Amino acid sequence: MSLKSTYFSPTAKTTDTHCDKAQESRMTHDSSDGSECGSARRASREWWLHVALLCVPLLAVYLHIPPPQLSPALDSWRTSGHFFTFRGNHIFYKESVGVVGSSDVLLLLHGFPTSSYDWYKIWDPLTQRFNRVIALDFLGFGFSHKPRPHRYSIFEQASVVETLVAHLGLSEQRINILSHDYGDTVALELLYRSDHNRSGHITINSLCLSNGGIFPETHYPRFLQKVLKDSGFISPVLTRLINFQFFSRGILQYINQRLKHRERWVGALTSTSTPLHMIYGPLDPVNPHPEFIQLYQKLVQRSTVSVLDEHVSHYPQLEDPTGFFNAYLSFINSF
């Protein structure tokens, strides 16, 4: 459930002053003023309650609990991967060679605030269809370096991907991209560069998106995302308490970047001749149904769409890996 906008409204900051004035003049005002004051007080109390509920457990974590050890599955994922260098930072990636005799390459782009491990449930099936399957941890995520202070951007992450493709000797290869969430926006920047023949660009053979907030007008970030992306006083406090770089305000600026560069990225999506597909979990609270998918189908008429079962939410590749894989396989085999 998305947080109501009143939690971040200036009304909450001026509650006391407004209500004092209402008290002084209540003999000459009708009952609607009292109702307004009560609503403002409730909004203010509810906003601070959310902040308190976040801060108390985070403070406990910061003061008393050491970072958790990797699970055996995550440790195995890390040891089976590799690193390359991007502007002095080590970037983790994993690659598997699959079908012999095929030249098809698939590049996987993960979402926020996770990592390449998002793809583990469909990794093996994908290697049975593609010759090479590649996934990376974006800068600031997963096993990749997390420079701080650092101003993360979608443009930089797209350059990270281009550097990886060059590192693997695939600059002349046509690449299929499968992305999710944050990775969708990185994919759209890559698509823009490819279609405009920018230097160092990837040649994209196909693009499949999934549950990404590519339209700012239908994207409803969670409470923590809203707090951290803004420049208010509470953001650095939470960033310090959480002590995980991927929650930093720098990374969360991608939400504002989507709004600022909407014309560039949505424009790339609506004007490309690259084969497009969208796999969508309709229970997604961040990109809600049917608002998101209706706008996508209206604006991106060349794209095909797979809407999964009604119980599938924001992480379809994890919640319904079989349905997700079959939807992607149907798309990739259609051209």
Side-chain angles (χ1 to χ4, degrees):
M1 183 180 298
S2 62
L3 185 66
K4 300 295 185 184
S5 60
T6 50
Y7 298 162
F8 299 93
S9 168
T11 305
K13 298 180 181 179
T14 59
T15 301
D16 292 337
T17 301
H18 177 82
C19 293
D20 287 342
K21 290 179 179 178
Q23 255 187 343
E24 292 171 4
S25 57
R26 60 187 170 184
M27 297 301 293
T28 57
H29 285 68
D30 60 28
S31 59
S32 63
D33 291 308
S35 176
E36 183 181 349
C37 289
S39 298
R41 286 198 180 95
R42 284 193 296 274
S44 179
R45 285 196 299 269
E46 202 161 346
W47 190 88
W48 282 109
L49 177 60
H50 276 85
V51 172
L53 288 173
L54 280 170
C55 288
V56 171
L58 291 174
L59 182 61
V61 169
Y62 181 71
L63 293 176
H64 300 293
I65 303 175
Q69 290 187 339
L70 292 179
S71 68
L74 273 174
D75 188 59
S76 175
W77 188 268
R78 181 179 64 177
T79 56
S80 66
H82 310 277
F83 289 87
F84 72 99
T85 301
F86 173 81
R87 299 175 184 171
N89 295 293
H90 293 162
I91 306 297
F92 174 86
Y93 72 96
K94 180 178 170 67
E95 178 187 20
S96 289
V97 177
V99 177
V100 177
S102 169
S103 61
D104 291 347
V105 177
L106 176 63
L107 178 63
L108 305 171
L109 306 180
H110 68 81
F112 174 91
T114 51
S115 70
S116 57
Y117 192 66
D118 275 2
W119 305 106
Y120 83 98
K121 285 190 176 182
I122 60 172
W123 188 267
D124 288 341
L126 288 173
T127 62
Q128 296 172 26
R129 169 59 178 81
F130 292 90
N131 175 251
R132 296 174 79 171
V133 180
I134 304 156
L136 79 159
D137 291 349
F138 289 124
L139 181 67
F141 294 78
F143 299 125
S144 294
H145 272 182
K146 302 167 180 65
R148 184 177 183 181
H150 189 80
R151 199 68 171 176
Y152 294 86
S153 77
I154 295 297
F155 300 100
E156 181 181 50
Q157 302 289 19
S159 296
V160 170
V161 175
E162 290 175 339
T163 302
L164 171 60
V165 170
H167 171 77
L168 295 173
L170 296 172
S171 296
E172 304 302 318
Q173 179 76 40
R174 297 185 66 84
I175 306 292
N176 299 287
I177 296 178
L178 174 56
S179 60
H180 172 246
D181 185 58
Y182 180 91
D184 282 6
T185 306
V186 178
L188 293 183
E189 173 58 21
L190 292 168
L191 182 65
Y192 178 89
R193 296 181 186 186
S194 178
D195 286 353
H196 288 79
N197 202 29
R198 294 295 178 89
S199 177
H201 73 274
I202 294 173
T203 302
I204 299 177
N205 188 55
S206 70
L207 172 59
C208 180
L209 309 168
S210 59
N211 285 81
I214 54 179
F215 305 123
E217 59 268 43
T218 62
H219 182 245
Y220 299 91
R222 312 309 290 152
F223 174 71
L224 186 59
Q225 289 176 310
K226 279 188 175 183
V227 173
L228 290 178
K229 82 176 179 65
D230 293 328
S231 300
F233 74 95
I234 203 70
S235 176
V237 175
L238 290 178
T239 300
R240 173 63 176 159
L241 289 177
I242 293 171
N243 205 29
F244 291 110
Q245 311 291 348
F246 55 69
F247 276 130
S248 74
R249 187 173 54 183
I251 284 185
L252 276 160
Q253 285 302 309
Y254 78 90
I255 298 174
N256 295 330
Q257 291 165 20
R258 281 172 174 167
L259 180 61
K260 181 178 180 180
H261 302 289
R262 183 192 187 282
E263 183 177 349
R264 177 186 180 99
W265 293 331
V266 176
L269 188 61
T270 57
S271 64
T272 188
S273 60
T274 299
L276 297 172
H277 191 66
M278 167 67 73
I279 302 176
Y280 177 63
L283 200 59
D284 188 350
V286 181
N287 307 289
H289 184 273
E291 184 180 358
F292 169 81
I293 203 66
Q294 286 177 348
L295 181 60
Y296 181 85
Q297 291 175 312
K298 177 182 177 181
L299 296 181
V300 195
Q301 297 181 3
R302 289 190 58 260
S303 176
T304 51
V305 172
S306 295
V307 179
L308 302 181
D309 290 345
E310 62 182 11
H311 70 278
V312 180
S313 183
H314 186 67
Y315 291 91
Q317 76 276 34
L318 295 172
E319 299 170 55
D320 184 12
T322 300
F324 186 95
F325 175 74
N326 287 339
Y328 183 64
L329 196 64
S330 178
F331 162 65
I332 207 71
N333 290 337
S334 67
F335 59 90

